[in-house]
């Protein structure tokens, strides 16, 4: 999963279902992480439905990468999120991965052309 940037998100608020769909997880995990991580602060409408800002979605993205992709524990992820350089590191890692993927696709294309 690539790093989601706040500028890529077009809506003012996202429902819990939309956030869960973005990360392909259950809404219960979103609610759990909301309780565990103080950086997630959704607004609630009159009915009590959670409304997540693009900043909340970006924070979920960082948590998702740390916990699901990097294998951090929840405590480890909390400590890592306090590190100011984390966003930069995640962004650089994502960019490096995208560069490697594009190189591999180029090599694949060349090899397929050789087979013809």
């Amino acid at each position: 999963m690539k790093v989601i940037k706040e500028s890529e998100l077009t809506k003012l608020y996202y429902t819990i279902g939309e956030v869960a769909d973005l990360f392909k997880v259950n809404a219960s995990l979103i609610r759990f992480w909301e309780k565990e991580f103080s950086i997630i602060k959704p607004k609630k409408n009159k009915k009590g439905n959670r409304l997540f800002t693009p900043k909340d979605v970006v924070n979920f993205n960082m948590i998702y990468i740390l916990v699901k992709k990097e294998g951090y524990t929840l405590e480890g992820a909390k400590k890592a999120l306090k590190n100011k350089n984390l966003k930069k590191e995640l962004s650089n890692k994502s960019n490096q991965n995208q560069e490697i993927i594009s190189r591999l696709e180029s090599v694949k294309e060349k090899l397929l052309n050789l087979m013809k």
Side-chain angles (χ1 to χ4, degrees):
M1 165 170 264
K2 72 176 198 143
V3 175
I4 296 174
K5 295 178 184 161
E6 205 168 335
S7 59
E8 295 172 353
L9 300 169
T10 57
K11 294 174 72 176
L12 194 56
Y13 292 104
Y14 292 84
T15 65
I16 193 167
E18 291 171 324
V19 175
D21 288 344
L22 269 174
F23 298 103
K24 296 177 178 58
V25 297
N26 292 324
S28 60
L29 182 64
I30 302 297
R31 284 190 293 274
F32 176 72
W33 282 353
E34 173 195 341
K35 290 176 188 170
E36 288 293 315
F37 294 91
S38 61
I39 60 171
I40 307 297
K41 297 177 184 123
K43 306 219 181 298
K44 292 190 179 181
N45 65 13
K46 291 180 182 179
K47 290 183 176 180
N49 297 333
R50 291 166 176 84
L51 299 172
F52 297 94
T53 63
K55 185 175 182 178
D56 288 328
V57 175
V58 169
N59 288 333
F60 269 118
N61 186 234
M62 288 189 298
I63 294 166
Y64 181 87
I65 290 170
L66 289 172
V67 174
K68 296 290 188 181
K69 300 292 181 188
E70 300 291 324
Y72 280 63
T73 63
L74 293 182
E75 289 304 314
K78 288 175 189 176
K79 288 178 185 174
L81 287 170
K82 290 180 182 175
N83 180 355
K84 292 181 181 179
N85 295 324
L86 178 67
K87 278 187 183 179
K88 190 181 227 182
E89 289 173 25
L90 289 176
S91 180
N92 287 342
K93 197 172 201 177
S94 177
N95 290 340
Q96 288 172 348
N97 288 346
Q98 292 299 328
E99 187 178 326
I100 291 169
I101 289 170
S102 66
R103 285 183 186 174
L104 287 171
E105 287 173 346
S106 172
V107 169
K108 178 183 174 184
E109 193 175 312
K110 289 176 184 177
L111 289 172
L112 288 172
N113 287 335
L114 286 174
M115 287 176 54
K116 291 181 181 179

